[in-house]
Every structure is written in C-alpha cells, then in structure tokens.
Amino acid sequence: MFRNFRWYIVFMLFLAAIINYIDRSALSVAMPFISKRFHLEPAEMGLILSSFFIGYALFNFIGGYFSDVFGPRKVFGTSMVVWSIFCGLTATAFNFISLFIVRLMFGVGEGPFSSTANKAVNNWFPIKERARAVGINQAGLPIGGALSGPIVGFIALKFGWEWSFVVITLIGLLWTLLWIKTVTDKPEEHPKVSKDELKVIRDGQMQGNTSSSESLPLSYYLKQPTILVMAVSFFAYNYIIFFFLTWFPSYLTMSKGLSIMKMSVVTMIPWTSGAIGLIGGGMLTDYIFKKTGKLMFSRKLVLVTFLIGAAICVGLAGIASSVTSIVIFMAFGVGFTYLTAPIYWSIIQDVVRGEKVGGVSGFVHGLANISGIIGPAVTGFIVQFTGHFTSAFLLAGGLGVIGALAVAFFVKPLQSEAAKEEVVQTRTV
C-alpha cells in the first residue's frame, strides 16, 4: 500500500490526529446538553473548557521529553490509552467539579500528542519532506474537528450525549493496538524499510540543516530567543484555534440561534478549510525551499503572511452580522491559521538536533498551550459580563497579528559558533 514505509507512519499519525480532535471537540459540541444538565453559567463553561489545557500544557513538555528518552512508539501508545479512557469517563461526570477533574486528566493524556508526533517525523523523514509530513499528519486535527460535530451531535440526539464519549473511546483503543503492533521508533528498526529508503532518509536529514553538529544540552535550546519567540507566536496561533474549538459551537447556538444539528453541520466548513490549509502549508513551504534553497525564508514567508491573514479574517467574523458571513470569515481564518501550523514544527526541526527535538517541541508547545488555559476562560467572562462575543473575536485576531510580527522580526537560525562556545563553557564548569 505504501511504496515508502515512512508514509505509513504519517498515515498512522494522521488517523491519531483525527481521533485526537474528535475526542477534544466532543465536549464543545455536547456543551449545550452538558451546560443544561449541570446548570452552568458562561463563566463556568469557560472554566470547564480551560481545565483540559492545564494538564495538556504541562504534559506537552513532559511527553516531548519522554519521546526523546523512551521513543515516540511507547509514549504515543501510552498517551492514546490515557486520553481515551478519560474521554470515556466524561460520561460519568455528575457535577461541575467531577467534570473539571476528568477534563484535566484528559488533557494530561493528550499532552504528548504533537511533540511526540514531531519527534516521529524527525526520526523518519528527510528535511525536504518534513513540513509536508507534518502538514499531512496534522491535517487530521481539523478533519477530526469536522467529523466531531455530526458524529457527536447525532449520537447525543439519538442515544444521549454520554454515549458519544464511550464510542470515541473505543476507537482510540483500537488505534493503539494497531500502532504498537506495526510501528517502530526509527526506520532502521523496521523490517519493511528498504536499504534505498533508509539511505534517502538518512542522507536527507543531513542536507540544509542549520543546527549545530555539536551535541548540545536541552537547556541551551530552551534559552534561545528564536525558540522563545516561536513559543510566543505559537501562543497566538493556539489562541485562535482554541477560541474556535471551544466557543464557536456555543456562539452559533447562544448568539445566532442555530439548532444543535445545524450547528454540527455548519462547524464542518471551517474545519474542512483547516485541513486544506494544513496540507497546503507544508507543501507550500517545502516548494519555496526547493526553489530558493533558503530554509528559514521559506518558513517565515508562509507563517507571517498567512497568520496576519488569519487575524484579519477572525476579527471580521467578530463584527459580521449574518451567519453566512461569519462562517465564511471563520473558514478563511481557520484555514489560514492552520496553514501556518506545519511551519512551527518545521522550524524546530530545522534548528534543533534530532535527539532534542521532542523536548524542545514539548517546551514550545507547552508554553503555547497556556493560551488554552487562559483563552476559553477569558472568553467565558467576556461573554458573561458584556453579553456578546465581539470583543473575544477581536482579541483573538489581535494576538494573531502580534504572533506574526514576532516571527518576522525575531526568529533567526541558531548560531553554530555560539552553540559550540556554550558547550565548551559547559564542559569546563
């Protein structure tokens, strides 16, 4: 089925991403039922939606670090089992506190997902294919978000919202079984990887890499301005995505009067746009790199241009009046935002040596996902105390502009000589 086995790895990560966002989006789709059951105010709804990100942000870094130590196969398998179980336990929640705790632990399980996936791509792909591989892998996220609406909406209306969480739990456990049986941490460990494919991978990992040839401590990378600025920009990216993920369904039902079923269908449109953006972003930056030979330029051009475009579209969605125009603006906004997603992971792989990619990816992702702790709660308080969503949309758009400009002016390749000097100083201490 796969001429080159490395694309099977991407296929499995793509399926995992679909499951990830079906699971994660399920609560947002079911929230109208849950808020009615537990009599939740908008501020309480925001806190529940934020609780996931407390555990999630913490385990972004822990999971990424563990993927460097134990390998992505074990870490990813464990992560999927934990998050699937706690996703299912959402159905057993009986009040605000129990739901808060279950969602927090669900976030712990999902925390290692993206950084571990980035580690797997780093192990299996040459530099010229990495952005494309990341884009295809992560395209499963918005596809999962698109599928979550109709799947959860249908099951909730037909059998009760609790059963939707049980069904998607079983899907995650089945994926884990297949992953453990068919995947290895590195291509040289797998019997289906030919000598020719292994040569393509290993030779390609040496071309165009701007990271130092020296083995550097993780602490070195975590102090670099480029890494810290990437975290700031990723924070802005995540704020837009999580604003859409957690509150857009409720916005359509609360402010625009859409039924649960109509809302479930309408939310598929921006998610579909996001999937196209993710695949297109990876292909576009790899194409620009191929034509120009300028690795960092190819990354920054795509990220800055489209994150600013996303910010403008999200802001316009906040001041639009008709449902049609709102959905169109959000479709472009989410599509443009997701188009930048492969760039964040690709820049990390470009400037960080392979044995530290998991830890650095987790560190950047963890800081970025503080937006998930803050954003949904802030939106809930804005809605409760202003009575509308306009300010929340404008805030998300404004952060997008800041994130784009930060990358444009402050992200640069790491300097090999400075890195080597720090290694020497570290060794003499």
Side-chain angles (χ1 to χ4, degrees), residues 7 14 32 34 39 48 51 55 92 128-129 145 153 157 185 221 266 280 318 338 342-343 351 353 373 406:
W7 293 104
F14 171 77
I34 296 172
H39 307 290
I48 290 295
S51 63
T92 67
K128 66 180 181 179
E129 295 177 349
L157 290 171
D185 286 324
Y221 292 109
V266 165
Y338 269 122
I343 314 305
V351 302
R353 280 182 56 87
I373 301 172

Side-chain angles (χ1 to χ4, degrees), residues 188-206:
E188 55 264 31
E189 298 169 353
H190 206 288
K192 290 189 177 182
V193 176
S194 67
K195 291 182 179 179
D196 289 341
E197 182 180 10
L198 183 60
K199 187 176 188 304
V200 168
I201 294 170
R202 292 307 180 215
D203 288 352
Q205 289 176 340
M206 300 301 295

